[in-house]
Amino acid sequence: MGVETEVTVTTVDEVRIVQAVGEFDPDGDESLAEGLVPGAGGGLAGTVLDVAKVTFADSSFLHTLLAAKAEHDRAGVPLVLAQVPPVVERLLALTDVTGAFDLTPDVPTAVALVRVRHDEARRR
């Protein structure tokens, strides 16, 4: 593959923001999976995954997303995807899992949605 994978993780006001860059296949998914651990009880409101710069994603990337979603659901915190490029949109659509994720056009909108979902979950 031509574009090296990079995963950066930052936390802003209790929201973890994970940025994924490059081509994701089985070799690059481990760092993504590590970045998407929800950290139950860690005081996080949730996670935003910024996938704007993902240039390739295969079934192992999808598996990582679905596993992260399940972990977030168990931990009671939201996982929101931001800036979903066509390559990831296509993967989600072809596998009929688009509806499993909250998709937003940008990171600020995703952060706001994480806060809304977190607040809704706390009220239940």
Side-chain angles (χ1 to χ4, degrees):
M1 302 262 159
V3 178
E4 198 172 315
T5 60
E6 181 182 340
V7 176
T8 57
V9 180
T10 56
T11 302
V12 177
D13 297 328
E14 299 180 347
V15 176
R16 175 185 291 131
I17 301 171
V18 179
Q19 183 181 42
V21 177
E23 298 178 350
F24 285 85
D25 57 20
D27 295 331
D29 290 336
E30 186 176 315
S31 60
L32 180 60
E34 290 170 5
L36 291 174
V37 173
L44 287 178
T47 304
V48 170
L49 175 57
D50 179 359
V51 290
K53 296 182 180 177
V54 171
T55 56
F56 175 82
D58 66 6
S59 62
S60 63
F61 180 84
L62 178 64
H63 176 76
T64 299
L65 289 184
L66 291 171
K69 173 71 170 131
E71 288 178 34
H72 278 74
D73 288 349
R74 280 192 295 276
V77 294
L79 170 64
V80 177
L81 305 184
Q83 304 186 101
V84 181
V87 66
V88 175
E89 279 183 18
R90 200 166 29 255
L91 179 64
L92 297 175
L94 286 172
T95 55
D96 200 28
V97 297
T98 304
F101 296 95
D102 287 315
L103 308 178
T104 63
D106 54 52
V107 172
T109 303
V111 169
L113 185 56
V114 163
R115 292 186 194 292
V116 167
R117 296 277 189 253
H118 180 70
D119 291 345
E120 288 171 352
R122 284 195 331 205
R123 283 191 289 259
R124 287 185 212 151

